[in-house]
Amino acid sequence: MSNPIEKLIDNLCKLPGIGRKTAQRLAFFIMSMPEEQAIQIAEAIINLRKKARYCPVCFNITENEKCNICSNPERDHSIICVVEEPSNIILFEKTGYKGTYHVLGGNISPVDGLTPDKLKIKELEDRVKTGQIKEVIISTSPNTKGELTAQWIADLLKKYNIKISRIAYGLPIGIDIEFADEVTLSKALEGRKPLNV
Amino acid sequence: MSNPIEKLIDNLCKLPGIGRKTAQRLAFFIMSMPEEQAIQIAEAIINLRKKARYCPVCFNITENEKCNICSNPERDHSIICVVEEPSNIILFEKTGYKGTYHVLGGNISPVDGLTPDKLKIKELEDRVKTGQIKEVIISTSPNTKGELTAQWIADLLKKYNIKISRIAYGLPIGIDIEFADEVTLSKALEGRKPLNV
């Protein structure tokens, strides 16, 4: 095979979840699509890396000095939702949440070399130290690493006079209860709330 | 979310098998990987589209005037293996096949607007007309469209005094025969060969 297509296949293989077969399929598709569209993909990558940076306040991705959320005066800057990755913000934004965020950059995981100092935990504490924060909602994943991280942050911030909360555990909406696992069910029972009757 | 990341997500969604969720994951990964690597992916796409073209003989992808196979004097230029897509050539090259190829650009499929004139069938006939070709091996897929295309090409070329063959049907190597479907089994029986004893 000719070189440019092999080079692209090699490059696409570096992306997560893209094996050699998928990379081949993508590369041949990129060869067959209108040239303008193919170049647009390339330019979108270059544009992202040349223009986008991390918000110095919350570590969301932005093309401005501060991100759209941190620089929006209509958001509630006294509430911080702590998330693992910038991509999580997309999900929370769909809920209508009106506070701000703080992106950790992952969860604490010493076996992967992710000690607390590798995450943006100190930067979170610095934001709390300013005295402008009333509540920190810890929204890491409900798994071992996420729980460890949540507990670590809660312990670190308890000396400040703020509300520290964890997003609720329970049944995901829309499932058939038959398929709920026992740990989720047990958490859903614990977290039960009075119904209005 | 900021614009450059959304733009990249929109662009990645144009690729086959890449839905919005996967595009998001890829875009955030591209944001997090070393800048040099990210730019390399973009440049590989641009390089492909600027340098690569279709071989005027066989319609394989190449960066030269003719592809590596058509311009190689050590290949057997009297045999043509007819394939659907350039990516198929990668597979056939692994078998040690030493003839040349002809890329149709798909299979005949009138419902999809792929009438015979949309494929490189006329160009295949032109190669046969030169009188330099001894055998055409039709290697389209063993499904409805592939069979239709194979039959169409065989009918078209039968007036030339050449061997026209179809790759064999049979059991794929390495499977447990229990999982073979009945059509494949029936074809494998039909194509049975004497064993050397």
Side-chain angles (χ1 to χ4, degrees):
Chain A
M1 290 306 297
S2 62
N3 260 334
I5 197 120
E6 266 177 7
K7 255 185 223 157
L8 179 56
I9 292 169
D10 289 345
N11 270 289
L12 292 175
C13 280
K14 291 175 191 155
L15 296 173
I18 308 282
R20 198 139 194 103
K21 281 256 170 181
T22 307
Q24 267 178 25
R25 193 163 46 86
L26 293 176
F28 283 108
F29 184 86
I30 289 169
M31 182 66 200
S32 72
M33 72 200 296
E35 175 159 352
E36 200 189 280
Q37 273 185 34
I39 300 296
Q40 267 173 17
I41 298 176
E43 283 174 350
I45 294 175
I46 293 170
N47 187 48
L48 174 69
R49 293 311 304 258
K50 296 291 177 198
K51 289 200 187 153
R53 62 182 98 174
Y54 292 100
C55 172
V57 179
C58 74
F59 303 96
N60 185 11
I61 296 168
T62 177
E63 55 181 325
N64 304 314
E65 209 196 322
K66 275 190 191 181
C67 81
N68 297 342
I69 296 165
C70 286
S71 58
N72 183 346
E74 298 190 356
R75 308 285 300 213
D76 183 346
H77 292 268
S78 69
I79 304 182
I80 299 176
C81 175
V82 177
V83 296
E84 295 166 6
E85 300 292 349
S87 55
N88 299 153
I89 294 178
I90 295 181
L91 302 173
F92 280 94
E93 283 296 282
K94 287 181 186 157
T95 67
Y97 169 76
K98 289 295 170 216
T100 65
Y101 296 94
H102 192 88
V103 180
L104 295 174
N107 277 317
I108 298 173
S109 176
V111 288
D112 302 314
L114 282 172
T115 46
D117 58 299
K118 299 273 165 50
L119 304 175
K120 303 296 183 191
I121 294 179
K122 194 189 161 297
E123 289 81 354
L124 173 64
E125 190 180 6
D126 288 343
R127 287 176 74 181
V128 171
K129 270 183 190 166
T130 62
Q132 309 290 307
I133 309 300
K134 288 184 191 147
E135 181 174 3
V136 168
I137 307 168
I138 308 179
S139 301
T140 52
S141 299
N143 56 27
T144 318
K145 291 173 186 173
E147 292 303 340
L148 170 67
T149 307
Q151 197 55 54
W152 178 281
I153 292 173
D155 289 344
L156 178 77
L157 300 183
K158 71 181 169 203
K159 61 178 176 273
Y160 303 98
N161 186 27
I162 58 164
K163 191 170 163 193
I164 302 169
S165 54
R166 179 90 174 100
I167 43 164
Y169 310 109
L171 294 175
I173 308 307
I175 70 151
D176 192 311
I177 199 161
E178 195 182 357
F179 302 113
D181 65 286
E182 61 198 39
V183 183
T184 301
L185 266 187
S186 136
K187 291 284 187 185
L189 278 171
E190 264 180 46
R192 67 190 180 279
K193 288 189 178 172
L195 261 179
N196 290 333
V197 282
Chain B
M1 291 304 298
S2 61
N3 261 334
I5 198 117
E6 266 177 7
K7 257 184 221 156
L8 179 55
I9 294 169
D10 289 345
N11 271 289
L12 293 175
C13 281
K14 290 173 192 157
L15 297 173
I18 308 281
R20 196 137 196 106
K21 281 255 169 181
T22 307
Q24 267 179 24
R25 193 164 45 86
L26 293 176
F28 283 108
F29 183 86
I30 289 169
M31 183 66 199
S32 71
M33 73 199 298
E35 175 159 353
E36 201 189 280
Q37 274 186 33
I39 299 297
Q40 267 173 18
I41 298 175
E43 283 173 350
I45 294 174
I46 293 169
N47 187 48
L48 173 70
R49 293 311 303 258
K50 295 293 178 199
K51 289 199 188 154
R53 62 182 98 173
Y54 293 101
C55 171
V57 179
C58 75
F59 304 97
N60 185 10
I61 296 168
T62 177
E63 54 180 327
N64 304 314
E65 211 196 320
K66 273 190 191 180
C67 81
N68 297 342
I69 296 165
C70 286
S71 57
N72 183 346
E74 299 190 357
R75 308 284 300 212
D76 184 346
H77 291 268
S78 70
I79 304 181
I80 299 175
C81 175
V82 176
V83 296
E84 295 166 4
E85 299 292 349
S87 56
N88 299 153
I89 294 178
I90 295 181
L91 302 172
F92 281 94
E93 283 297 280
K94 287 182 187 157
T95 67
Y97 169 75
K98 289 296 170 215
T100 64
Y101 296 93
H102 192 87
V103 180
L104 295 174
N107 277 316
I108 298 172
S109 177
V111 286
D112 303 314
L114 284 172
T115 45
D117 57 298
K118 299 275 165 48
L119 305 174
K120 303 298 183 189
I121 294 179
K122 194 189 161 299
E123 290 81 354
L124 173 64
E125 190 181 6
D126 288 343
R127 287 176 73 181
V128 172
K129 270 183 190 165
T130 62
Q132 309 290 309
I133 308 301
K134 288 183 190 146
E135 181 175 3
V136 168
I137 307 167
I138 308 177
S139 301
T140 52
S141 299
N143 55 29
T144 318
K145 291 174 187 173
E147 293 303 340
L148 170 67
T149 308
Q151 198 54 55
W152 179 280
I153 292 173
D155 289 344
L156 180 75
L157 300 182
K158 71 181 171 202
K159 59 178 176 277
Y160 303 99
N161 186 27
I162 59 164
K163 191 171 163 193
I164 301 168
S165 55
R166 179 89 175 101
I167 43 165
Y169 309 109
L171 294 175
I173 308 306
I175 71 151
D176 193 309
I177 199 161
E178 194 181 358
F179 301 114
D181 64 286
E182 61 198 37
V183 183
T184 300
L185 266 187
S186 138
K187 292 285 187 185
L189 278 172
E190 265 179 46
R192 68 190 178 277
K193 288 189 179 175
L195 261 181
N196 290 332
V197 281

